[in-house]
Amino acid sequence: MIELGLARITRLLKDTPTPWKAIHVAGTNGKGSVCAYASAMLHANNVKCGRFTSPHLIDRWDCITINEDIVRPSLFDEVETAVKAKARCEDIQASEFEILTATAFEIFNREGIEAAVVEVGLGGRHDATNVIEQPSVTVITQVGEDHQPMLGNSLEEIAHQKAGIMKPHVPCLVDGSNASSVLKVLEASAWKCQASSFLRIPHDLLPDTASEVHATLTSSKYEPHQIMNIKLAYEAVKLVAGEMKRPIDIRQVVESIKHTSWPGRLQMLNLERLMAHRHDVLLDGAHNPQSAEALGSYVDTHLRVSNSAVTWVIGISDGKNAKHVLCRILRPGDNLVAVEFGPVDGMPWVRPMYVDKIIEAAESFDMPGGKHKACRGLRESLHMAASIARGGPIVIAGSLYLISDILRLQRNLTWEEKCV
């Protein structure tokens, strides 16, 4: 289960200094992408950088990187074992995420990083990562509806929880495209906690700020939400570099943007070895209304050639509102294959929604045409999707845990082929 609060993580890390500069990122959507771009920019400018994001994608340790490389499994195991031993010895009763957060911070210290980019796990105010007392900058991305039982039922309540990462005398950057009611809550929180500045990106930037970077973005293939995330990352990196008195090479920033990838988010991947489908498949972890809206718009623009039907492979976490996701991506004539993802390592409380519930939600829209199929197994769902699609576009979405299963299956198949 998820237990929010800072008491246990504070005890776990009471003897662990955090001398590194930190970019602390909260939000409902986009925070992982901001972290990926920010750490890539720092690394490109010769700043030794650690990154901690969640959830993990394939292996539990891939949520921690040093200079853009996933931490060594042996080091992760060694540090995690020591953290767990401390928790047992002092009867801290830490949660899985608190153990993981402490492990990441201990690894950062062992590796001697200069700067850390840290993604909030859930919410912000009571999240384990909020043990960082003096970040260099806080960033709040798009705020939307997600985890309402723990964060609140309105956008304003959720925004209040996200704003909890703001700190006195620390600048805060926010996604200026947020709803006005959200921005009001965030701005009020910034002044209440005496943040040194509150900047809505891009509204509060000077006209010549990052002109080369912004010019690169506007002349490229990035989606609007991706452009926003890159701008947030760049402004955060500038603030950290300024505090470190380190120059920023714009050319290196631009190159890092071009080469940064964030698996499971608008990711095109060839899965021909897993399914009889020779075209690339789109993978996206969209699992809430906002991210589903962005995915639906992307698919409409880029995949629906001549209004062709899309075949969706959908897995959703239990407790989510399937209708709120599906209504933003399904169109008349689309096919849907519902599937359940497998157990999530280190997160036993996460369970998939039953496939029958997903099918029921889809059929409630009464859209003409299209086939709706339920599959229990992942491989079965892929073969079913390929059979139904008949060469048409296929999208796998609904949960990052489903995307993780797909990527792990692809990885393991590669390993098996190498061993033959």
Side-chain angles (χ1 to χ4, degrees):
M1 61 180 294
I2 299 175
E3 298 179 71
L4 298 177
L6 298 178
R8 294 178 299 273
I9 188 67
T10 300
R11 290 177 61 193
L12 266 182
L13 292 172
K14 67 180 180 181
D15 300 318
T16 303
T18 53
W20 19 269
K21 307 298 182 184
I23 298 175
H24 199 192
V25 186
T28 305
N29 297 300
K31 59 185 185 293
S33 296
V34 169
C35 289
Y37 284 114
S39 64
M41 292 176 195
L42 287 168
H43 175 57
N45 279 275
N46 300 311
V47 175
K48 188 168 186 179
C49 181
R51 185 178 74 219
F52 175 46
T53 55
S54 60
H56 65 270
L57 197 57
I58 300 178
D59 302 303
R60 284 194 307 120
W61 52 86
D62 67 25
C63 60
I64 305 170
T65 67
I66 305 293
N67 282 343
E68 301 305 282
D69 291 327
I70 295 171
V71 67
R72 303 186 308 278
S74 59
L75 176 59
F76 177 85
D77 289 341
E78 177 187 341
V79 175
E80 184 190 44
T81 298
V83 170
K84 286 182 175 180
K86 180 177 182 179
R88 283 195 305 270
C89 180
E90 300 183 18
D91 192 27
I92 295 176
Q93 299 182 359
S95 68
E96 292 277 359
F97 185 69
E98 288 162 347
I99 294 290
L100 186 60
T101 301
T103 299
F105 290 4
E106 291 282 4
I107 288 174
F108 289 169
N109 285 351
R110 289 200 186 194
E111 294 294 295
I113 67 166
E114 299 174 274
V117 182
V118 178
E119 177 187 5
V120 165
L122 178 65
R125 187 172 302 279
H126 303 295
D127 185 74
T129 62
N130 208 25
V131 73
I132 301 174
E133 294 182 349
Q134 196 67 21
S136 297
V137 57
T138 59
V139 181
I140 299 180
T141 63
Q142 269 288 320
V143 175
E145 297 175 355
D146 210 356
H147 304 291
Q148 288 97 317
M150 285 165 285
L151 303 181
N153 292 318
S154 70
L155 286 179
E156 294 78 15
E157 289 176 305
I158 296 172
H160 175 70
Q161 293 298 323
K162 308 292 184 186
I165 69 168
M166 297 178 184
K167 298 292 186 297
H169 317 301
V170 173
C172 179
L173 307 174
V174 304
D175 182 334
S177 67
N178 271 299
S180 59
S181 61
V182 167
L183 291 174
K184 287 179 181 178
V185 171
L186 297 180
E187 185 169 16
S189 298
W191 297 128
K192 184 176 181 180
C193 85
Q194 296 184 317
S196 61
S197 62
F198 177 83
L199 297 177
R200 297 166 300 167
I201 306 302
H203 308 75
D204 295 332
L205 297 179
L206 296 174
D208 61 344
T209 300
S211 56
E212 293 181 59
V213 175
H214 295 177
T216 300
L217 296 176
T218 54
S219 62
S220 64
K221 58 184 179 181
Y222 296 98
E223 295 298 302
H225 68 279
Q226 293 174 314
I227 292 174
M228 174 62 74
N229 294 337
I230 293 170
K231 288 180 178 180
L232 285 166
Y234 178 64
E235 295 303 322
V237 165
K238 283 202 304 179
L239 288 168
V240 171
E243 189 175 320
M244 298 175 71
K245 295 181 170 50
R246 300 278 283 271
I248 290 290
D249 186 329
I250 298 297
R251 291 171 300 176
Q252 293 300 325
V253 168
V254 170
E255 286 304 305
S256 71
I257 292 171
K258 292 177 180 177
H259 294 99
T260 297
S261 63
W262 194 227
R265 286 80 168 178
L266 296 182
Q267 178 184 8
M268 298 298 298
L269 188 65
N270 189 289
L271 298 177
E272 190 171 4
R273 291 179 300 167
L274 296 177
M275 57 198 296
H277 187 79
R278 61 187 180 87
H279 302 292
D280 286 357
V281 172
L282 177 64
L283 278 65
D284 193 276
H287 60 278
N288 57 49
Q290 268 187 316
S291 57
E293 190 79 45
L295 174 60
S297 175
Y298 179 88
V299 170
D300 288 347
T301 302
H302 298 281
L303 297 188
R304 294 187 186 278
V305 180
S306 301
N307 295 319
S308 60
V310 172
T311 298
W312 299 84
V313 178
I314 298 292
I316 297 176
S317 292
D318 191 33
K320 298 287 186 182
N321 191 316
K323 289 184 180 181
H324 287 182
V325 172
L326 296 177
C327 72
R328 289 167 168 82
I329 58 176
L330 294 180
R331 306 289 183 263
D334 281 0
N335 306 305
L336 182 143
V337 178
V339 66
E340 297 172 13
F341 54 79
V344 181
D345 190 13
M347 303 174 73
W349 61 87
V350 176
R351 292 182 174 83
M353 182 178 291
Y354 290 127
V355 290
D356 294 344
K357 291 183 66 175
I358 298 175
I359 295 295
E360 181 183 348
E363 292 182 344
S364 69
F365 303 134
D366 194 29
M367 289 188 181
K371 299 178 180 179
H372 297 162
K373 301 291 184 180
C375 296
R376 297 288 179 183
L378 187 58
R379 286 209 176 194
E380 179 192 354
S381 71
L382 295 178
H383 289 303
M384 177 69 72
S387 174
I388 294 174
R390 297 180 178 272
I394 296 177
V395 183
I396 303 175
S399 171
L400 276 172
Y401 306 122
L402 174 62
I403 303 302
S404 297
D405 283 354
I406 296 289
L407 295 176
R408 190 178 299 107
L409 191 62
Q410 176 92 329
R411 194 252 330 250
N412 292 346
L413 183 61
T414 301
W415 286 355
E416 291 171 7
E417 291 174 346
K418 288 181 178 179
C419 292
V420 174

